[in-house]
Structures are given as C-alpha cells and as structure tokens.
Amino acid sequence: MRQKKKNKIYRQPLPNRFVHWGVAISIIMLIITGIGQMPVYGRYLIVQPFGTKWLTSYEITLLVHYFFAATLLFFTTYHIVYHVMKKEFDIWPKKGDVKGSYLIIKAMILGQKEPPSEKYLPEQRIAYLYFVISIGLVIVTGVIKVIKNIMGVQPSNGILFWGAQLHNLATVMVILGVVMHLAAFIVKENRKLLPGMFTGYVDEEYVKERHSL
Amino acid sequence: MHCLDAPCQKLCPFGVIEKTKHGAVKIDENFCMGGAKCRAVCSWDIPQRQAGVGLYMQLVPELAGGGVMYKCDMCADLLKEGKSPACEAACPKGAIEFGPYEQIRKKAYERAKEIGGFIYGDVENSGTLTLYVSDVPFDKIDEAIEAKKKEENDTRFGRPHMKSEVENMLETTHGYMLATLIAPIAGAAAAGITAYKVLSGQKKKEGGEHCEAKEEK
C-alpha cells in the first residue's frame, strides 16, 4: 500500500517497477545467453572468466534463453494488458515530441532552462516507442523461432533465414537502446528520476520544476 | 546424416542451413560464420569445419583459412544435373543406394528382414533420411568404433558413434518451448487481476469520498 511521504511524489507505482525490473533482468539475461548461442564465448575468449564456463554450452544457454524469453513475454504482456485496462497512455508518443526533445536536449547542452514537461519527457516517449519497436521485433521473431523448434514443424528456408536475421538485428537494436537508456543518466538533470524506479518516489521540488504540465 | 527434424538446421543462429527438395540438410558455405553451433547440437557431431571454403576466404584468407562448417549435402550439385551422389557411384561394393525416402525405407526393412539384421538411423535422433542396414547389432559396431578410437587415442571430431540411444535436442527442450508460449497468457491473467483490484479499489475510494462530501453538505 502506498504511503504519503513528505516532500516526495509517488511517480512509479509497484506494477510499473515490477514490469521495469522484470523486463530489464529478462533482457540482460537474453542478451548474455543469446550471444552465447553465437560464435563468441567459446571461440574468442582465450581466458574463460571464473563462473562463465556455462556460457560456452549451447544446450545450457538455450535453456536459460527459453526461460528468460518466457519471463520477457510474461512482463510485456502484463504491461500491455494492465495499462490498456487502466487506460493509461502517458508514455505513448505525441505530436511534437521530436521538436520537444530537441528543445530539451538543446537546453541541457546550453545550460538553459528546460521547457516544462508532462509526467514523461518528450524524449522518454520517443525512447519508449523505440523500445516498443525493437522489443516487439525481437519478441515476434523469437516466437517464430520457438514455434519452428517444435518437433514436426518444418518451416521454409526463407522463414528460418529471415527469422534469424531479423532476430539478430532486433537484438542489436535492443542493445543500443539499453546503452542509450543508461547513457541518459550521464545527464545530471535526469538522475533525480532514478529513485522513482527503486522506491517509487521522486522529489517534489524536482517534479514541480520539470514536470509542471 | 540428414535428420527429419534437424536440430542443426533449426538452431543455426544465422538461419543459413537449408533443406533441399531432396531432404538434404545443407549448410550455405557463403553465409556460415563457422561458429560450429550446428556441431554442438548434432548428436553425431556431423558438421565439421572445412578448410579453404566460405566467407572468410574472401575477407581474410591468411588469417581465417580454417574455413566454415561443412557437411554432406547429398551431392546437391550432382543431383541438380540428374546424376547420382558421388558415394553411391564410387562404392566398389554397390552398398550405397540413393532414392525416394519411403522407397528406400521400405527396401531397408525388407533387406534387414532378409538377413535377420538391424537398422540404424530410422528412429535415432527422431529419424533421419540416412539408413544403415547391418547383420551385426549396432551396439557391437559402436563398441568396436569406441575401442578403435581408444586404441588410437583419437579424440578428434568426425568419427561418429553408432549408439542406439540418441536423443534429439529439440525433443529435450520441448517443455521449455511450451512454457515460453504459455507465458503471455499468464502475464495477461496476472495483469487483469491486478488492474481489476486497483480499479475497484479506486472506485470504492471515490464512492467513499462522494458519500463524505454529501454528508458535509
């Protein structure tokens, strides 16, 4: 149950944090094990770091990959159904977000005062769309890959080739997205958002200053 | 070997192993990255690295002459020309026969019955298109292969066993695949319950506030 805290604003309810961290852990593990299914760890690592031997086994990385694919599907479906039922679409991009992002980034670089924002900054909404596209593509191609692995299912050579190529492309897109997501915290102004994803609360002062709309 | 449900084909991370119209499992040497994942998932370690072929020969031949993965493709080029595969044509004993799967399978069983023999490859790894017929039990053949390898201290790839218990990796991971496909249903159900609880809690709260406001009036 949410408790009122002095000088704090409740920004990220428990379901948001549950989905955020569930998706984050799933994606990190999917990237690690997915790379394990590529010619990488067992091929180029001359010295195997302690505790990573399992990553060179195709069978183990495949099973762990399936496990986290299931958790990613669980959390993404949860996210969609929960917010559609609650009719919450604050993070969905709006008209003028590209220009809005430009103005905010320009203000950050030049040290000027940022234009006021809603709950989410325009660039956060654009970043969300980027993740929808890249995670969406990785999920669709991933599900095709799971179905084709079922015994008795014989997909065409084209499905196998394009399914793999697009899954790999989407993986690269997701990795770039994660890097950009983390790089956002290099900017000092964004760091005040961080406690929101741990405790749910952010400073009231920060909200008044930046999210006044 | 050319498996009916070939793990190497289905699990190649680049999707560059195809099945030809004859059912041969064929690695596209121009796209293969040589990661050997096909060998890792093959029950017999059939795909092997072939020096002097593939992508790297075009890019860095000096450094990457080790080549990419390679396996029997039923002599796809010869079949295209309407010729027999090289092994069938070259076998001095005429012991290799190539033909439509059902026809060959029927013939293999008839031959096995005739000689009181055994068949290998029909059920192993959930079935293959390569069938061996022998009057010596395959367990004994496998023992002989192992003994010879031990004697020669041969630990290299490329000398497959003939064990009778051969599991297909796609079969052993079947449960995980189903779990993956069921996960969205569980996610939707959990979200539905949570959203319903939150929404009904909000309604109750709003109702309570409404009553309090009325009483104040």
Side-chain angles (χ1 to χ4, degrees):
Chain A
M1 203 57 196
R2 167 163 69 112
Q3 287 175 347
K4 281 185 181 168
K5 284 189 181 177
K6 208 182 166 191
N7 303 328
K8 298 273 178 192
I9 297 288
Y10 195 56
R11 181 181 164 88
Q12 300 294 358
L14 188 61
N16 286 15
R17 283 176 278 151
F18 172 68
V19 167
H20 176 268
W21 291 113
V23 167
I25 293 166
S26 304
I27 284 181
I28 289 167
M29 289 308 292
L30 284 168
I31 291 170
I32 293 171
T33 52
I35 292 172
Q37 284 156 59
M38 297 285 199
V40 180
Y41 302 135
R43 194 173 185 185
Y44 299 113
L45 286 181
I46 295 160
V47 179
Q48 193 67 42
F50 178 75
T52 61
K53 182 76 185 157
W54 65 278
L55 286 169
T56 61
S57 161
Y58 189 101
E59 195 167 359
I60 296 171
T61 53
L62 181 68
L63 295 181
V64 180
H65 203 72
Y66 275 137
F67 177 80
F68 285 102
T71 59
L72 179 66
L73 279 167
F74 175 90
F75 288 113
T76 47
T77 323
Y78 182 100
H79 173 69
I80 295 166
V81 173
Y82 181 79
H83 292 289
V84 167
M85 277 182 78
K86 288 193 74 193
K87 298 187 181 95
E88 290 175 335
F89 305 106
D90 308 314
I91 204 167
W92 199 248
K94 292 176 182 170
K95 205 178 165 190
D97 274 355
V98 175
K99 196 182 170 192
S101 303
Y102 165 74
L103 291 174
I104 290 181
I105 293 166
K106 191 178 138 193
M108 279 179 196
I109 294 168
L110 300 177
Q112 296 166 339
K113 190 170 165 46
E114 280 181 28
S117 294
E118 295 167 67
K119 179 177 179 181
Y120 293 102
L121 304 167
E123 64 261 40
Q124 277 181 308
R125 290 194 289 264
I126 291 174
Y128 178 78
L129 181 66
Y130 177 86
F131 273 119
V132 167
I133 295 167
S134 52
I135 296 176
L137 184 60
V138 95
I139 286 177
V140 170
T141 51
V143 168
I144 291 171
K145 276 172 153 269
V146 172
I147 294 170
K148 61 103 173 122
N149 283 349
I150 294 171
M151 294 289 288
V153 175
Q154 185 56 59
S156 69
N157 293 330
I159 288 178
L160 277 177
F161 179 76
W162 286 109
Q165 300 302 321
L166 291 175
H167 195 69
N168 296 347
L169 170 72
T171 304
V172 173
M173 286 172 68
V174 172
I175 293 171
L176 288 176
V178 172
V179 171
M180 286 190 289
H181 180 57
L182 296 175
F185 295 105
I186 294 170
V187 179
K188 207 178 166 189
E189 286 84 347
N190 293 339
R191 286 181 210 156
K192 286 182 180 165
L193 282 166
L194 269 173
M197 263 312 161
F198 292 95
T199 62
Y201 291 91
V202 289
D203 282 345
E204 193 177 345
E205 276 304 301
Y206 162 78
V207 175
K208 279 180 181 166
E209 193 188 316
R210 207 180 196 196
H211 303 275
S212 55
L213 290 179
Chain B
M1 288 296 193
H2 298 278
C3 302
L4 295 174
D5 245 307
C8 63
Q9 190 214 9
K10 289 186 169 184
L11 295 173
C12 169
F14 301 102
V16 296
I17 302 182
E18 60 177 271
K19 270 206 172 178
T20 68
K21 65 175 184 179
H22 293 100
V25 178
K26 184 177 182 292
I27 299 170
D28 189 335
E29 68 198 57
N30 296 315
F31 279 106
C32 176
M33 300 280 170
K37 300 300 171 186
C38 47
R39 187 177 67 199
V41 300
C42 176
S43 302
W44 295 282
D45 302 325
I46 296 288
Q48 292 297 317
R49 198 177 302 282
Q50 173 76 45
V53 297
L55 186 72
Y56 304 123
M57 293 304 291
Q58 315 289 330
L59 303 171
V60 274
E62 291 293 317
L63 279 171
V68 295
M69 304 313 287
Y70 211 76
K71 74 179 282 296
C72 162
D73 61 358
M74 287 186 188
C75 291
D77 51 340
L78 294 179
L79 288 180
K80 231 181 218 175
E81 293 170 21
K83 294 177 184 166
S84 296
C87 59
E88 184 188 28
C91 179
K93 299 275 186 186
I96 298 172
E97 204 170 322
F98 180 81
Y101 173 59
E102 283 306 330
Q103 196 182 306
I104 291 290
R105 191 164 176 265
K106 194 175 165 222
K107 217 169 182 180
Y109 274 93
E110 280 170 3
R111 180 80 180 129
K113 200 177 171 189
E114 205 179 292
I115 60 171
F118 308 88
I119 291 180
Y120 192 81
D122 192 34
V123 292
E124 288 75 14
N125 209 36
S126 304
T128 82
L129 294 186
T130 315
L131 304 176
Y132 294 84
V133 183
S134 166
D135 55 358
V136 179
F138 285 96
D139 284 340
K140 286 210 164 169
I141 294 178
D142 183 60
E143 276 170 28
I145 294 171
E146 287 303 315
K148 191 82 178 159
K149 281 167 90 171
K150 207 173 173 184
E151 185 190 312
E152 293 170 358
N153 201 19
D154 184 0
T155 53
R156 291 169 302 168
F157 288 112
R159 207 168 167 190
H161 64 81
M162 291 198 107
K163 289 183 177 36
S164 51
E165 297 285 320
V166 180
E167 267 198 337
N168 190 312
M169 194 195 264
L170 298 171
E171 207 156 31
T172 52
T173 55
H174 192 69
Y176 283 82
M177 288 180 219
L178 294 180
T180 307
L181 296 176
I182 290 166
I185 301 166
I193 294 164
T194 321
Y196 176 77
K197 277 191 170 179
V198 171
L199 288 171
S200 54
Q202 273 175 359
K203 266 187 190 171
K204 263 186 196 171
K205 205 178 165 190
E206 279 167 16
E209 278 170 5
H210 190 68
C211 286
E212 275 172 26
K214 263 189 175 178
E215 278 168 16
E216 274 174 22
K217 276 180 187 175

